[in-house]
């Protein structure tokens, strides 16, 4: 049963007191939104908020019925001196000839609501979704194979949208409207089974509610349990990311072994964070060889030896354009015999000393080549660059960048920033050059 005390208690969920807040009420003219408007009028009259506004959108999809809906809303607002905004859809709004009219209509009205809120500094949007809507949404998502997030149902509060009627049933709304003589109009199109929601509303929901007089109450308890499970999983995700995720230069590094030890569902939720949502694709990622690359809508995942390296796709494109282009260092650009190489984000800068009498300018910083060798400091003899990279566990991301520093005759001076070549070192040279890497 709806009463004002129950209604106002719903506002305790907001992050702050409602007294200083402005609310925009989405009103279609149906029983749900007209009851919400009536309750908010009382809410405002008792100084529980600083202002209320109404927004109505007329799609002109139902002929004169659409105009009568608009008239009901505007007449009510004028009678009670409630500021209101009406948007009448026209040909400029490009109603689709094919595809989902429902999605088009939803996008249109929420764009209108956002505009009204921004122009009037309104804090929250109120919609009249109720418990029957919650059941319908759950069944729609269930029929589409939705994950846990979809089965959590309609959130009572998210992104400045607040739904204070979610705790009430459609029957309770009708009862309150009749008892308090609140005018409303019925949308006759809701009786047609043209859309999935209408089919569920008119055929499936009544059968389920007939199973028990407490069906909707018990259903809400189940929704609450599912939301508790979601909260638990979110805390586990946070725990995992805090311990196994590293951010560096807009790249995300995830420990492979730590990820593989997680529960199958948690692995799915972790990778879903980066838009990897296909279970078959996720299984391939977990069993992929080093060097394999996977793509989601927004991200690219590189399988490295010990890490999964994830980045936005545009960042990879930028890396390819910048880090793989050889950099030439002319002698004329070197001041005080010191060359500074930046962007390696080392905790402590490294300094390489070169014998100026042995090196030939210009120097070049380039990607590695297959089969090449160098003579690393601290080791005997020579070593393949590829073997050094493997032994030092240099990531695939790093090894594909410009890491080879060579002089004009092709002698490798080092793998930047990892190890200097000892052939042209010049710590004790009179004509000494310094390379500072930081």
């Amino acid at each position: 049963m709806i009463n004002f005390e129950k209604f106002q208690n719903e506002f305790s969920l907001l992050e702050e007191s409602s007294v200083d807040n402005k609310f925009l009420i989405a009103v279609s003219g149906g029983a749900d939104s007209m009851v919400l408007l009536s309750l908010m009028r009382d809410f405002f009259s008792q100084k529980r908020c600083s202002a209320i506004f109404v927004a109505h959108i007329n799609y002109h999809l139902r002929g004169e019925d659409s105009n009568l809906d608009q008239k009901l809303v505007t007449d009510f607002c004028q009678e009670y001196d409630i500021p209101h905004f009406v948007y009448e859809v026209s040909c400029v709004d490009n109603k689709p000839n094919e595809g989902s009219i429902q999605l088009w209509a939803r996008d249109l009205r929420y764009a209108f609501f956002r505009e009204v809120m921004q122009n009037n500094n309104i804090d929250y949007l109120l919609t009249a979704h109720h418990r029957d809507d919650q059941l319908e949404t759950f069944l729609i998502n269930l029929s589409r194979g939705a994950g846990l997030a979809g089965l959590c149902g309609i959130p009572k509060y998210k992104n400045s949208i607040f739904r204070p009627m979610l705790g009430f049933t459609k029957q309770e709304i009708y009862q309150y409207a009749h008892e308090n003589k609140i005018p409303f109009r019925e949308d006759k199109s809701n009786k047609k089974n043209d859309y999935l929601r209408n089919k569920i509303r008119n055929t499936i929901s009544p059968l389920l509610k007939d199973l028990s007089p407490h069906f909707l109450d018990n259903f809400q308890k189940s929704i609450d349990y599912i939301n508790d499970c979601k909260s638990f999983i979110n805390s586990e995700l946070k725990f995992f990311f805090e311990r196994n995720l590293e951010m560096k230069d807009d790249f995300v590094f995830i420990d492979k072994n730590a990820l593989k030890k997680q529960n199958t569902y948690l692995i799915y939720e972790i990778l879903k964070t980066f838009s990897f949502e296909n279970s078959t694709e996720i299984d391939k990622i977990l069993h992929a060889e080093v060097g394999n690359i996977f793509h989601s809508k927004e991200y690219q995942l590189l399988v490295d030896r010990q890490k999964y390296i994830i980045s936005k796709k545009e960042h990879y494109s930028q890396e390819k354009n910048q880090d793989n282009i050889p950099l030439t260092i002319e002698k004329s650009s070197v001041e005080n015999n010191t060359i500074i190489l930046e962007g390696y984000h080392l905790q402590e800068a490294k300094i390489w000393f070169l014998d100026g009498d042995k090196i030939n300018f210009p120097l070049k910083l380039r990607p590695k080549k297959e089969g090449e060798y160098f003579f690393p400091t601290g080791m005997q003899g020579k070593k393949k660059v590829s073997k050094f990279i493997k032994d030092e566990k240099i990531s695939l991301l790093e090894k594909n960048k410009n890491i080879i520093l060579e002089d004009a005759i092709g002698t490798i001076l080092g793998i930047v920033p990892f190890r200097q070549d000892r052939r042209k070192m010049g710590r004790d040279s009179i004509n000494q050059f310094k390379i500072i890497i930081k």
Side-chain angles (χ1 to χ4, degrees), residues 60-120:
H60 291 289
L61 293 174
R62 296 181 293 111
E64 186 59 21
D65 280 338
S66 293
N67 295 329
L68 291 174
D69 292 348
Q70 178 180 327
K71 185 176 186 305
L72 171 67
V73 175
T74 55
D75 286 351
F76 188 96
C77 291
Q78 288 169 358
E79 179 179 354
Y80 294 102
D81 198 25
I82 300 172
H84 55 285
F85 304 87
V86 175
Y87 184 82
E88 295 195 52
V89 175
S90 66
C91 58
V92 299
D93 294 302
N94 298 318
K95 187 182 87 171
N97 294 321
E98 298 179 359
S100 175
I101 289 180
Q102 287 181 313
L103 287 177
W104 164 79
R106 185 186 187 281
D107 291 343
L108 204 60
R109 67 176 173 269
Y110 276 94
F112 169 52
F113 297 156
R114 285 192 296 269
E115 181 181 356
V116 172
M117 292 177 72
Q118 290 171 1
N119 292 341
N120 296 275

Side-chain angles (χ1 to χ4, degrees), residues 105-141:
R106 185 186 187 281
D107 291 343
L108 204 60
R109 67 176 173 269
Y110 276 94
F112 169 52
F113 297 156
R114 285 192 296 269
E115 181 181 356
V116 172
M117 292 177 72
Q118 290 171 1
N119 292 341
N120 296 275
N121 296 315
I122 297 173
D123 302 291
Y124 298 99
L125 170 67
L126 302 186
T127 69
H129 292 93
H130 48 77
R131 191 168 290 179
D132 293 65
D133 291 324
Q134 186 76 284
L135 174 61
E136 293 162 14
T137 299
F138 176 87
L139 293 173
I140 289 170
N141 290 339

Side-chain angles (χ1 to χ4, degrees), residues 37-49:
L37 175 55
S38 178
L39 287 165
M40 284 304 296
R41 178 175 60 85
D42 296 339
F43 195 75
F44 173 65
S45 66
Q46 294 190 22
K47 302 187 185 304
R48 304 281 183 175
C49 62

Side-chain angles (χ1 to χ4, degrees), residues 27 87 111 116 137 156 183 334 336 344 363 365 397:
V27 182
Y87 184 82
V116 172
T137 299
K156 185 165 284 190
V334 178
N336 301 319
Y344 294 91
L363 307 185
L365 193 61
L397 187 66

Side-chain angles (χ1 to χ4, degrees), residues 209-221:
K209 287 185 277 189
D210 282 345
L211 294 174
S212 164
H214 304 294
F215 178 85
L216 283 177
D217 292 333
N218 292 333
F219 165 71
Q220 187 57 51
K221 289 179 183 177

